Amino acid sequence: MTSSETDSPGETPGDVSSRADVGLLSPVRAGGAAETATSDAAFLRAMLDAEVALVRALAVVGLAPSSAVGDVASAADRIRFDISDLALRARSTGNPVPAVVADLIAQTAQASADHIHQGATSQDIMDTAMMLVAARTLDLVIADLDHVVAGLAAIARAHRDTPMVGRTLTQHAVPITFGLKAAGWRSVALDARDRIAVVCRSLPAQLGGAAGTLAAVRAYAPTAPTDLGARLVTVYSETLGLSTPTLPWHTLRTPIADLGAALAFTAGALGKIAADVLVLSRTEIGEVNEGVGGGSSAMPHKANPVLSTMIVATSRQLPALAAILVAALVAEDERASGPWHAEWQTLREALRLTGGAAHAAAGLVDGLVVHPDRMRSNLDLTHGLILSGHAYVDLATRMPAKAARTIVDDASKLAVSSQISLGEAMRSVEGAPSGSTVTDPAGYLGFAAELTDIALERQAAQ
Amino acid sequence: MTSSETDSPGETPGDVSSRADVGLLSPVRAGGAAETATSDAAFLRAMLDAEVALVRALAVVGLAPSSAVGDVASAADRIRFDISDLALRARSTGNPVPAVVADLIAQTAQASADHIHQGATSQDIMDTAMMLVAARTLDLVIADLDHVVAGLAAIARAHRDTPMVGRTLTQHAVPITFGLKAAGWRSVALDARDRIAVVCRSLPAQLGGAAGTLAAVRAYAPTAPTDLGARLVTVYSETLGLSTPTLPWHTLRTPIADLGAALAFTAGALGKIAADVLVLSRTEIGEVNEGVGGGSSAMPHKANPVLSTMIVATSRQLPALAAILVAALVAEDERASGPWHAEWQTLREALRLTGGAAHAAAGLVDGLVVHPDRMRSNLDLTHGLILSGHAYVDLATRMPAKAARTIVDDASKLAVSSQISLGEAMRSVEGAPSGSTVTDPAGYLGFAAELTDIALERQAAQ
Amino acid sequence: MTSSETDSPGETPGDVSSRADVGLLSPVRAGGAAETATSDAAFLRAMLDAEVALVRALAVVGLAPSSAVGDVASAADRIRFDISDLALRARSTGNPVPAVVADLIAQTAQASADHIHQGATSQDIMDTAMMLVAARTLDLVIADLDHVVAGLAAIARAHRDTPMVGRTLTQHAVPITFGLKAAGWRSVALDARDRIAVVCRSLPAQLGGAAGTLAAVRAYAPTAPTDLGARLVTVYSETLGLSTPTLPWHTLRTPIADLGAALAFTAGALGKIAADVLVLSRTEIGEVNEGVGGGSSAMPHKANPVLSTMIVATSRQLPALAAILVAALVAEDERASGPWHAEWQTLREALRLTGGAAHAAAGLVDGLVVHPDRMRSNLDLTHGLILSGHAYVDLATRMPAKAARTIVDDASKLAVSSQISLGEAMRSVEGAPSGSTVTDPAGYLGFAAELTDIALERQAAQ
Amino acid sequence: MTSSETDSPGETPGDVSSRADVGLLSPVRAGGAAETATSDAAFLRAMLDAEVALVRALAVVGLAPSSAVGDVASAADRIRFDISDLALRARSTGNPVPAVVADLIAQTAQASADHIHQGATSQDIMDTAMMLVAARTLDLVIADLDHVVAGLAAIARAHRDTPMVGRTLTQHAVPITFGLKAAGWRSVALDARDRIAVVCRSLPAQLGGAAGTLAAVRAYAPTAPTDLGARLVTVYSETLGLSTPTLPWHTLRTPIADLGAALAFTAGALGKIAADVLVLSRTEIGEVNEGVGGGSSAMPHKANPVLSTMIVATSRQLPALAAILVAALVAEDERASGPWHAEWQTLREALRLTGGAAHAAAGLVDGLVVHPDRMRSNLDLTHGLILSGHAYVDLATRMPAKAARTIVDDASKLAVSSQISLGEAMRSVEGAPSGSTVTDPAGYLGFAAELTDIALERQAAQ
């Protein structure tokens, strides 16, 4: 039923808005491009694209008149579908395609309408629509990841030699550079970018008919060459810009599992960056902060790391959503009762959350403020203990390892218990040679700069 | 910004609908009461309820004038909030409360507006709103579960003595009754009902101020008795019909974890029923079917088990959503950066999916068509092998167990290999006594009827 | 096959140890009581307990001679089972019970052996064994949680009035007390304790026979009163110290789902405590530390928060394990093909991880070192901005709220930009009244002490 | 401490076996090669391999004498480590590496011992060991998947033209071939094979020192060329047969997330096959059965689909385990407190379960018995309704689609209500043309054979 005719009992525009979700509970995606790309309207548009592509493919292989293509395409563009009504009608069939098809047929001239959805099953259209929506959203994700990667490269270069504390198990360990940390962030962002790109390139169209044999297509052309089916699928897929599947994949859910894995990876990679920013933003640490902080309703002075928070929130949801999606592989028969249906909202949520997080990450990287002075002063908080490893190697090159270990351990304990610097303590410990010059954190950075350089050479795989 | 003033650049009503989710991908909840109860509008209403209750509680304990209550309440009712705009503004603060508060203050007379949100933090309002929405949705769930439980009791009673095949590991095992199966379904539905009811009764309001000490409230009344804080929280909670918390629970997320567990349990319990219906509905089995089947776009004759399918789809999503929610317990500090934010959409999805599934289950039970004739004829498919256990016991009471086991094993193998009935085979096997009367499935039902009776005595815990 | 007879080709003691898991990858449980309580040996013992209890119950209701009880019990105690061999033999049947039963029968006098496993199915024994193992492990968990709760109560009391920074979204917010924080930790530990106790009390025995009708039991006593089945189940359950089920629950998996939820809750509650300890242990914060830190192989001076780390690691695994367990509710037919089998190792892992984490938490609480001096000095890090909320209320009681907000906002910004204290900044801002006394964090603790007192009154529910 | 010296109080060999897990609860992996490859002993061996490779790499770059390599390697081979004791000692440091290193040093000549673990951190060894264990286990998985793929190809070829029922949403839909179904199974098995192979090739060694800068290595050779670090890592990685990482990945957990995704995919792909076998094995359907069925302790005649059951059980666990592993990406700082530790047992479980399932799948395919006669007879169960789609197309090529639809719908309803065949019903419905030949399921197979042929052309990606 189209919106101009809408008059379903108990349903008014007010009712519609009383059901809608426009992102009030999901600020990470509210108003963003990924949200629009995964909206109900976007899914409807993708279903219509699939139906039009099918008519076009039927025409190419000779199973529909050319005139039908234009008729159906223009109907698909012209009709103002009532999405809310489609959603309600989807309840009786278990999926929205029959209602979409019915409305499309009703508004198309009969001769052309007869070719709408010809030979297809609901899942052909629904799956193809999911792939189209995924492809369109992943393009946005890739663009944002590219932005993140480029921004982090610039940060890593700028701070190639900026020393800071390396922290392990929450404790000061040894010095690192902020450049190395940023290069690491870039590295996982690039990993995410590569994984998304691989999946995006392989998203297949779906066309198999009732049980994946294209039986109805065959029945319409019983004497056609045996490659008719493959040709139809190829034209259909290419028309849509999707890859051509080897087999109908109604219950061979590789693309769904792959999408889940790539999206969860991306959310996790961005979550790593955000988690680090949260630590470094802590009031006591203060080594970085988000450029524009979120205000607090109770504390006027606070600048909260809002972008990082939203990204971390996303990274806590995606593993579970991906678990639902990979579990969809266990889909019995030629169409599954439940596993398939569990994919739709889950995939949409995974796409729009990750899309939102990628965009937030781009903003985070753009605005990140770095404080080398705080990094430097934090290096001194342990009064030299952060260099105990250096002091040990310094001794170990001059005496047996065991003796060196004992001296440094004793000095470290003394430094802690007497609240003196490691340097002072070393001078008090028996057996320690005089004249150690191990006092400069910048002198114990190992290969941080070289590792940063090497890591920055890596480019996106494609 | 309220909707009457809306003029944000780049945002038009068309844009809004291009972002909205009205259930097109989630037929299990589309158009249902649980969807409305968990919509953005419902969350906004709950936030406003919380703000109004806070002013009321402040007035009761003497921290606000009585007149403020009416002023704020009427503003909350009167304002036409632009939810889409609130969602967009939530991005800068990371949650929608500041925008809601700003709009509410802007439309309330100054003297009263000064008391809006007084002493509160955003999380107080957000958490309270989640609890209100949960309480309102769980009431719907409980009503539907009560309906399911009652319907299954009637079915179990009607089929107390209807024999059917018991199936284990996909194979025919021994006879059972459909009454026993339905009583089992009722039992897990009742378990779900009890768990939901326990959680529903304990949902707490949230009020702690910036870091859970009610410091601002105290600052407004530094000389008040020391029980002022507790009194304020009690009045606030009771006004809202929620339970009074012992402590602010900003990072003590027991209610969230409990909700997740109860909802996942409910989806799973309903999923068990639906999974059984799916098996019994199989064309080859045909022992039950949904009253109203879903049509197929490709196969006109098919009547698909749509309700069961939607319920199973739900049961595949909830465990993962509950995993996100229980993980929210690990919330650091006095407000967590990410775990909290990951709760909102997840909890909403868990509520509306489970609410939809409960309603679908009510419909499933109402319409379920049972075919005792098919149940009876399926009992004969193994030509008596389903009674091999009975034959064994029959022999074992007359000879050593080991000998009995050998005879029945031999006869069973013979029956399978020669495609004869177990009865015939028993007559051909050496050592088998003549005259066994073990041929009637209805004679090997054990205590199925008594177990059914006992199970039906159980009532909802409260 | 018993170990004294073991001679399976290709299997030697060396082979066994080459397969074993003794906790090398799971330090949180290695060597602990929960690990022993959930070992293969413990599950075997529980299976034998179930078999013996069944013979005892059969004897009580008159279906087995009294002498069988002692015979079977002594065989169960006497036999040295080869667990590795049982594990291998479990592959052909899909579960270990048939192999256990065969070995038990082989070593028991014939007359008594005939009554072993009489009327039961493998799942009866397996499920009962899971419940016994769960009950025994949960007793350990409860004891450790009681220890945690008591220890935290002492800490909360000792630090009832110790001021520290309250942190929200990683930033300093307003002062709190460490007593309030410890009381919050105790509160979630108590929540966990109550949830575990409820589940532990309700763990049911399992006894239903092949498809849950106790058909074989009935067949052995066709003329017995109709309450024979219920009596048998009751005696069996009571013998084992488990609760008596209303129905066989072969595919009504409430106890499994409940266990998963309670264990995940517990891991999450302990994870909250550990996550806070990790934050407060950070080198830059230093407000608490674990009594005995873990050494580092690379940095001799480091004292790592090992217990907290192991607890947090547990809290990251349990939500997923609980998701598997609650998904087990969707178990088709009278015995499910897969869902049931997925429970065993998952439940064991959930029990031993949570048991290990509870024990680690007891050690964490016992050894926790608190540094009130660091708490005090951290309060000054923002030079008074942590009291901006107090300053605002102080003004707001003397002027319109909006004006007060403006003054404090301006002063806060000035303090940040000029790196002066809030107090100084307030004196420079136009319109600020002179003479504010808002400079003492201890003066802005709200109802922290009262909330702590109230929270400490709460006791375990049972 | 080595086993020959073991005398830890309270620990006896009996105690050890009381803690061990040898697979009693996990028949899918008990006794299999993947279990051995992931045992505690295998992880220990891999840790030792990493330590030896490190000494070798140090020698190659000139940081250790050549003689140290042989000394350390022979000590690693010679020592009989007490794994249980190592597990217990791992508790104090949070990971087992320090204990392993201590034992290794204690049994190596001093001069060589000084170079053990030189420049490394525990995580270097632990992560490298995980990758080695993964690589060794994935080799087994790939071999089993190759076996599955080959077996399914043979089945698909043999049954290229065997008609059977296509089932959608549990109902008979249209005919398919068993060849097409088997080709689909092969397709997802191949997808799994390709994903495992990609991950297996990219598993990196780990070597970064305390915080990922190789600072200690640098300190031992302060004047060496700046590519010393990269050379050391390359030699170390190549020695181990692992790939060389661009950066230390202590908190850049791409390999862990990738392993989780590939393993969950594999379990899901195999779960799809097994789920289909379970359906087709149902007593009422009987179209396939496992070659060797599992016996039942209560029903002597039953042949349970044990392999499929174990595979499905695996497929229900892996999504959750993979969720834990991908969540490990969110690892803060230079070493994370919890996320890292949560990986170990989870990854091991994921590897050994999937390894067991792949091996079970190989057995399932080898033994699968196919019943074309049952497939044929099931095609007739709906008395021709399975061909209603064919009847519709047959009419639609001769009359308007709408009219054709009406006739077939009416006839289908009549066939169901009157329990007559569709053919008969068509003859009774008004407007239906006479002479339809649509009665042969084998005539409505669409492009099933061609699709099968195309799918079988695909080979493993390499």
Side-chain angles (χ1 to χ4, degrees), chain C residues 346-360:
Chain C
T346 306
L347 178 58
R348 178 231 290 267
E349 191 69 23
L351 285 167
R352 68 185 175 188
L353 280 175
T354 306
H359 196 63

Side-chain angles (χ1 to χ4, degrees), chain A residues 87-129:
Chain A
L88 298 180
R89 287 153 69 201
R91 288 183 62 82
S92 65
T93 49
N95 78 72
V97 173
V100 172
V101 170
D103 285 6
L104 188 60
I105 287 175
Q107 303 270 325
T108 306
Q110 180 67 46
S112 296
D114 280 1
H115 297 284
I116 291 174
H117 200 67
Q118 181 178 313
T121 190
S122 291
Q123 191 172 1
D124 292 332
I125 303 308
M126 195 73 185
D127 282 352
T128 299

Side-chain angles (χ1 to χ4, degrees), chain B residues 167-173 278-279 281-285 299-302 304-305 381 385 388 405 409, chain D residues 167-173 278-279 281-285 299-302 304-305 381 385 388 405 409 412:
Chain B
R167 297 172 178 90
T168 61
L169 299 167
T170 74
Q171 304 300 297
H172 285 198
L278 287 176
V279 168
S281 300
R282 283 195 167 271
T283 304
E284 291 86 355
I285 299 179
M299 293 152 289
H301 67 284
K302 277 189 65 180
N304 292 321
L381 283 182
L385 281 171
S388 64
R405 173 74 62 198
D409 280 5
Chain D
R167 296 171 178 91
T168 62
L169 299 167
T170 75
Q171 303 299 298
H172 284 199
L278 288 176
V279 168
S281 300
R282 283 194 166 272
T283 303
E284 291 86 355
I285 298 179
M299 292 152 290
H301 68 284
K302 277 188 68 181
N304 292 322
L381 282 182
L385 280 171
S388 64
R405 174 73 63 200
D409 280 5
S412 297

